[in-house]
Amino acid sequence: MNRCVITAALALGCALPAWAQRIFPPDALRGRIAITAPPNVLLNGDPARLSPGSRIYGANNLIQLPGTLLGQQFVVDYTIDIGGQIGRVWILTDAEAAVSPWPSTPQEARGWRYDGATGRWTQP
């Protein structure tokens, strides 16, 4: 039994740092999303659409179904797929939302520098 407890504690200890900080891809933009009538949403107040294969990751990094988020609004990082629809969405924790600067438009992302090791942006 002691071996099981030790193994579980080690596995949990190794997993916690991964949960502590999520690294978002360099093509992720910051915005506000309101789930209205999936796959239709409001992105920064404008009508947008979730792609058929979209994924919404909650603040706990577990996948959330859009229907369970109806009528709610979140600060998110998101990606746009090749068809112009929302591909991936990460609902941010307060600490993640406080990370600044973070681009909110593709134009900002093109002009700023992304550090993949830290997952942070810097403005020129």
Side-chain angles (χ1 to χ4, degrees), residues 34-61:
I35 310 298
T36 55
N40 299 314
V41 298
L42 292 177
L43 181 62
N44 300 322
D46 296 324
R49 192 170 178 90
L50 297 170
S51 71
S54 66
R55 297 281 187 265
I56 299 175
Y57 298 94
N60 58 4
N61 215 32

Side-chain angles (χ1 to χ4, degrees), residues 35-41 50 56 64-72 74:
I35 310 298
T36 55
N40 299 314
V41 298
L50 297 170
I56 299 175
Q64 305 290 305
L65 297 175
T68 65
L69 305 172
L70 279 174
Q72 298 181 57
F74 305 97

